[in-house]
Amino acid sequence: MSLRQGGCSLPPYDSWNLGDHVGDDPNAVARNRDQLAQRLGGKPVFLNQVHQTAVVPLGANTPHGTVADAAVTAQQQVACTIMVADCLPVLMCLSDGSAVGAAHAGWRGLALGVLEQTLKSLRATPSAGQGAAVSVWLGPCIGPDAFEVGDEVREAFMAGHAHLAHCFTPKGRKWLANLPALARHRLVDAGVSPQAIFGNDGSPSWCTFSNPDRYFSHRRDGLRLGASGRMAACVWRS
């Protein structure tokens, strides 16, 4: 998981911005992406994320900008890569390490089933055995004290899933949504063991909005500064 520091972009993209669609200097983004690839020792494939549920199988020749919100691969040195600046990055692997996947879980994609689709694609890789176990890591995202949403968001999750009510706290005419808790419930409902889900537990240190020195946040900086950079979460077989 990249953080915002360590790159060469100028404010308001300072400094390790990996998004090429947010108005940053293309040369700076290219240098930042080269730095990421060097650190990984492999090829990060950057998707064109559209808040839907499409999952793409990655290979060494998969082009950047492929339209999808999730990716899986069994190939070595090809990194499933998700860009975020408040949405939740979700990294997955088969427990034997033979295949990996990553999903971009903003509230729309999460409600539509992007995690379930990614799990389905990961479990369908040729290396996956019958009933293959999956391990999951949740990255930083906008936290439950900052993610204010309207009724339509709560209703999108609550339809047929009344047990998710505790993931929403009323705030005036709005709701505060717990994105990592919603993701954990969706993963468990899809057959992932709760003990195999790691990372973001909704505590303040994981909140992109509340930690400006560590994380980019579109909701925090988009209106105030006019733009926000993007971080990347990557999972790959070395």
Side-chain angles (χ1 to χ4, degrees), residues 43-102:
K43 177 188 176 181
V45 179
F46 292 91
L47 305 174
N48 178 7
Q49 300 165 187
V50 292
H51 297 273
Q52 294 294 315
T53 63
V55 184
V56 61
L58 295 186
N61 296 320
T62 304
H64 297 304
T66 297
V67 178
D69 280 273
V72 297
T73 190
Q75 294 197 19
Q76 294 180 308
Q77 298 179 324
V78 178
C80 299
T81 302
I82 297 299
M83 287 186 293
V84 290
D86 281 333
C87 292
L88 176 68
V90 180
L91 305 182
M92 306 177 182
C93 71
L94 296 179
S95 294
D96 64 1
S98 62
V100 297

Side-chain angles (χ1 to χ4, degrees), residues 138-170:
L138 307 180
C141 69
I142 189 167
D145 293 328
F147 189 27
E148 189 173 307
V149 301
D151 289 337
E152 73 283 359
V153 175
R154 184 174 183 269
E155 290 168 2
F157 284 100
M158 291 288 290
H161 301 278
H163 63 294
L164 299 180
H166 72 95
C167 296
F168 295 88
T169 303

Side-chain angles (χ1 to χ4, degrees), residues 39 60 62 102 108 135 163 186 198:
R39 292 194 180 190
T62 304
R108 290 180 181 85
S135 295
H163 63 294
R186 297 291 292 246
F198 305 93

Side-chain angles (χ1 to χ4, degrees), residues 191-218:
V192 178
S193 168
Q195 289 72 39
I197 305 174
F198 305 93
N200 191 339
D201 59 1
S203 57
S205 63
W206 292 93
C207 178
T208 50
F209 185 92
S210 304
N211 293 279
D213 293 338
R214 289 174 60 83
Y215 306 126
F216 291 114
S217 169
H218 175 71

